[in-house]
Amino acid sequence: MNPQCARCGKVVYPTEKVNCLDKYWHKGCFHCEVCKMALNMNNYKGYEKKPYCNAHYPKQSFTTVADTPENLRLKQQSELQSQVKYKRDFEESKGRGFSIVTDTPELQRLKRTQEQISNKFISKRIQHFCSRHLHDSYWKDYSEFQGIYILFNTRGHWQIPS
């Protein structure tokens, strides 16, 4: 017994049979659902068990959620809850202040090295100033004030090295 055509419902004989999309078709009935272009096994695209040409193949598109009053209310409610949470977190952390992070051993080593290099540079600069301008025993000490180094002599006078 010969099957029936999926389009016209008539009997499909083996000489004109196209078996595609789990159905049987007459060669003339196997055409695009939209433009009726004749299709074959090489140029058809199936969608929901129906043949389409490449130009009319239905595109998969995502549905959008309509802005119904209920959806708008839910959106507003979730925004309010989010703001409440952020405000609560802010209020909780308000009195805490900042937490101090302890330096790692590597960072402490780098700071010590930088201080040593800085102190050596300052000492050399002060020694160079002293040897250039006055006798070494004239200068008693030096001090730092807001990043400026000040030399003190034995008589209580001071000078900023250039």
Side-chain angles (χ1 to χ4, degrees):
M1 172 143 177
N2 293 323
Q4 293 183 345
C5 176
R7 180 140 351 250
C8 68
K10 296 181 181 176
V11 176
V12 180
Y13 296 102
T15 56
E16 58 181 6
K17 180 169 64 170
V18 176
N19 184 3
C20 188
L21 302 170
D22 297 330
K23 297 178 181 179
Y24 295 100
W25 312 78
H26 292 110
K27 287 182 185 177
C29 291
F30 191 63
H31 56 74
C32 176
E33 288 285 317
V34 178
C35 68
K36 310 294 187 226
M37 180 178 93
L39 300 171
N40 60 38
M41 298 300 289
N42 296 325
N43 65 357
Y44 85 96
K45 288 191 170 189
Y47 182 77
E48 294 182 352
K49 305 259 185 191
K50 295 179 183 174
Y52 292 91
C53 66
N54 195 30
H56 295 109
Y57 181 73
K59 304 292 186 266
Q60 295 284 343
S61 61
F62 298 102
T63 58
T64 58
V65 178
D67 285 335
T68 62
E70 179 64 14
N71 287 340
L72 291 173
R73 186 190 66 74
L74 290 172
K75 181 180 176 184
Q76 184 181 17
Q77 184 66 26
S78 63
E79 286 175 0
L80 288 173
Q81 287 175 348
S82 176
Q83 290 173 357
V84 167
K85 179 187 178 298
Y86 286 125
K87 182 169 172 69
R88 186 185 68 232
D89 291 347
F90 172 74
E91 292 296 330
E92 286 176 2
S93 66
K94 202 170 172 182
R96 281 191 244 152
F98 296 103
S99 61
I100 298 172
V101 178
T102 58
D103 292 338
T104 62
E106 179 66 16
L107 192 55
Q108 290 174 352
R109 185 187 64 76
L110 285 172
K111 284 183 179 178
R112 281 194 305 271
T113 304
Q114 287 175 344
E115 284 179 16
Q116 291 170 353
I117 292 170
S118 177
N119 288 339
K120 286 180 184 177
F121 174 76
I122 293 166
S123 295
K124 285 182 182 179
R125 184 172 174 196
I126 292 172
Q127 287 173 0
H128 177 70
F129 174 83
C130 293
S131 64
R132 222 178 37 185
H133 296 290
L134 302 167
H135 191 272
D136 285 337
S137 61
Y138 182 74
W139 296 103
K140 181 173 103 175
D141 198 7
Y142 70 93
S143 180
E144 177 192 4
F145 177 73
Q146 294 182 351
I148 300 171
Y149 290 89
I150 304 169
L151 294 169
F152 297 95
N153 64 15
T154 53
R155 296 183 187 152
H157 294 100
W158 59 272
Q159 184 173 352
I160 297 172
S162 54

